[in-house]
């Protein structure tokens, strides 16, 4: 593979690279993201995601297995497919970085992308700084994203989206502490996968993967786990990422009502929205329980395993028990 600098100059038509800044190291040491400042071109800077397959990964929680390694490799190939084939189908209501160039060879993958900072999306929020208005903005992004891809076939993407999908997490399932939830895991997964209405889900729609503008707009990054799924997976996971237990419960109705309002406004009139809303509303707790299942095996005692998420999970388990009786 040509060096990153050579490829950047070739595909951006820049005269030279005048600065390189590290943005972050990829999870478990699989590469780095850097910002390249350019001269003599409309793109004053670009973001480069340079993935290199490590000889031995360094997972912060010790999940260094062959399954984990293969999942990560596939995730980066999925991300390349997303930016190459799907990103251009989005609009300003569900903004994502545009792809400038992608190439893969010799155990390396290089993605050269639009720099969202340069495009005005330079604000990053933490749960401590996020307000309800910020959450509403992201909920609107999710609604438009899901409306855009309703019924879309996930060619080149994950057949089932989200990084915690049960079939890709056998080690975590084996490590689960909650016996009732462990026994119900497959039924929860099946209920979500067999939903009549399916879309593409971002798959890692946490607050940290959204970039905000001063004008109140938002864009999303990190599409390693995009794939087919019920939109509630993104919604439940996002809410879990930016609010503590009390706020999750307090804002649940407000955010779900807003989501379905925005979804209906963006949705094709060919869709039976009344039935979609009923189905997905019923699956909100299932989506939360599905993620809770992952946490129970991956990081028992995680701060997101609070009373609110436990209550929703127990409601789902009880419902499945009644359905089977």
């Amino acid at each position: 593979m040509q060096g990153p600098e050579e490829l950047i100059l070739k595909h951006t038509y820049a005269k030279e690279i005048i600065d390189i800044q590290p943005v972050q190291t990829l999870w478990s040491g699989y590469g780095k993201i850097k910002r390249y400042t350019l001269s003599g071109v409309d793109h004053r800077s670009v973001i480069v995601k340079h993935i290199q397959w490590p000889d031995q990964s360094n997972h912060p929680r010790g999940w260094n297995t062959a399954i984990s390694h293969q999942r990560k490799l596939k995730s980066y190939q999925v991300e390349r497919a997303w930016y190459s084939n799907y990103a251009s189908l989005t609009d300003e209501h569900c903004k994502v970085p545009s792809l400038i160039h992608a190439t893969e060879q010799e155990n390396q993958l290089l993605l050269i992308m639009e720099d969202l900072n340069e495009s005005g999306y330079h604000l990053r929020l933490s749960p401590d700084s996020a307000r309800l208005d910020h959450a509403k903005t992201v909920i609107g992004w999710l609604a438009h994203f899901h409306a855009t891809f309703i019924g879309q076939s996930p060619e080149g993407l994950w057949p089932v989206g989200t990084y915690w999908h049960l079939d890709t997490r056998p080690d975590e399932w084996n490590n689960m502490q909650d016996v009732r939830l462990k026994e119900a895991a497959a039924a929860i997964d099946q209920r979500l996968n067999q939903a009549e209405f399916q879309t593409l889900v971002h798959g890692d729609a946490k607050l940290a993967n959204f970039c905000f503008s001063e004008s109140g707009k938002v864009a999303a990054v990190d599409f390693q786990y995009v794939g087919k799924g019920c939109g509630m997976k993104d919604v439940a996971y996002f809410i879990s990422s930016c609010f503590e237990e009390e706020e999750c419960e307090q804002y649940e109705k407000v955010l779900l009502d807003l989501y379905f309002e925005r979804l209906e406004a963006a949705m094709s009139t060919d869709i039976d929205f009344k039935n979609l809303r009923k189905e997905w509303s019923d699956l909100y707790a299932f989506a939360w329980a599905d993620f809770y299942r992952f946490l129970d095996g991956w990081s028992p005692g995680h701060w997101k395993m609070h009373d609110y998420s436990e209550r929703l999970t127990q409601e789902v388990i009880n419902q499945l028990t009644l359905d089977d009786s």
Side-chain angles (χ1 to χ4, degrees):
M1 178 188 287
Q2 293 176 291
E5 291 83 0
E6 188 177 355
L7 287 168
I8 290 166
L9 292 174
K10 176 180 178 180
H11 292 283
T12 64
Y13 305 103
K15 288 184 178 180
E16 62 176 330
I17 296 168
I18 58 178
D19 189 36
I20 303 173
Q21 295 179 328
V23 175
Q24 69 180 70
T25 299
L26 297 179
W27 191 254
S28 302
Y30 276 69
K32 296 180 180 179
I33 300 176
K34 296 180 181 179
R35 173 176 288 106
Y36 289 76
T37 304
L38 312 174
S39 69
V41 69
D42 290 339
H43 295 284
R44 290 179 295 177
S45 60
V46 293
I47 292 294
V48 176
K49 193 168 187 175
H50 189 184
I51 299 100
Q52 296 174 289
W53 314 152
D55 293 331
Q56 182 175 358
S57 62
N58 182 30
H59 195 286
R61 295 186 183 272
W63 296 101
N64 298 324
T65 65
I67 292 174
S68 173
H69 177 66
Q70 290 303 316
R71 183 177 60 248
K72 291 183 180 70
L73 297 191
K74 180 174 174 61
S75 79
Y76 290 118
Q77 291 160 347
V78 164
E79 186 167 40
R80 178 187 180 181
W82 157 260
Y83 280 114
S84 298
N85 303 320
Y86 295 89
S88 62
L89 301 176
T90 63
D91 60 21
E92 71 276 9
H93 298 297
C94 50
K95 168 72 177 171
V96 303
S98 59
L99 178 68
I100 296 170
H101 180 69
T103 187
E104 178 181 359
Q105 64 183 61
E106 299 173 357
N107 295 327
Q108 295 184 63
L109 173 60
L110 195 73
L111 300 174
I112 305 173
M113 298 176 288
E114 171 189 2
D115 182 359
L116 289 175
N117 277 16
E118 182 187 338
S119 301
Y121 298 88
H122 61 281
L123 301 178
R124 309 292 185 269
L125 302 177
S126 67
D128 291 338
S129 61
R131 303 188 306 272
L132 179 58
D133 285 347
H134 295 125
K136 287 181 176 179
T137 300
V138 175
I139 287 293
W141 186 99
L142 289 172
H144 278 92
F145 183 83
H146 296 155
T148 299
F149 294 105
I150 193 77
Q152 176 72 56
S153 177
E155 298 296 331
L157 309 179
W158 290 97
V160 180
T162 72
Y163 73 83
W164 61 90
H165 178 227
L166 181 62
D167 284 353
T168 67
R169 295 289 184 168
D171 296 330
E172 291 82 353
W173 182 83
N174 283 325
N175 194 52
M176 287 181 67
Q177 308 298 303
D178 188 325
V179 175
R180 288 187 72 208
L181 180 56
K182 186 175 185 178
E183 293 174 347
I188 294 169
D189 179 62
Q190 184 179 48
R191 189 69 64 92
L192 289 164
N193 295 342
Q194 291 183 351
E196 176 185 355
F197 298 97
Q198 299 279 336
T199 184
L200 295 185
V201 294
H202 179 285
D204 192 7
K206 60 188 176 186
L207 181 63
N209 283 334
F210 289 92
C211 309
F212 296 80
S213 72
E214 296 281 4
S215 62
K217 295 182 178 181
V218 69
V221 297
D222 197 351
F223 286 86
Q224 290 174 229
Y225 292 94
V226 60
K228 186 178 178 181
C230 166
M232 289 294 96
K233 289 183 176 183
D234 279 341
V235 173
Y237 178 63
F238 170 71
I239 292 174
S240 81
S241 77
C242 57
F243 293 126
E244 297 286 349
E245 174 188 351
E246 295 80 8
E247 293 171 316
C248 287
E249 188 157 15
Q250 179 183 356
Y251 298 146
E252 175 188 309
K253 185 177 187 307
V254 171
L255 293 175
L256 286 177
D257 284 349
L258 177 65
Y259 171 79
F260 285 116
E261 176 187 319
R262 298 289 175 83
L263 185 68
E264 182 176 22
M267 191 73 71
S268 165
T269 55
D270 295 334
I271 300 295
D272 185 345
F273 184 78
K274 182 179 179 180
N275 283 341
L276 182 152
R277 177 166 185 161
K278 173 65 169 62
E279 179 182 65
W280 282 12
S281 294
D282 291 343
L283 289 174
Y284 175 72
F286 279 81
W288 203 291
D290 189 50
F291 182 61
Y292 190 95
R293 174 267 310 159
F294 163 71
L295 290 178
D296 186 59
W298 183 68
S299 181
H302 193 281
W303 69 270
K304 293 182 182 181
M305 299 180 74
H306 42 59
D307 287 347
Y308 171 79
S309 56
E310 183 176 353
R311 175 174 61 79
L312 289 179
T313 299
Q314 291 307 312
E315 287 177 1
V316 166
I317 294 173
N318 292 338
Q319 181 179 331
L320 289 171
T321 302
L322 287 173
D323 291 346
D324 289 340
S325 62

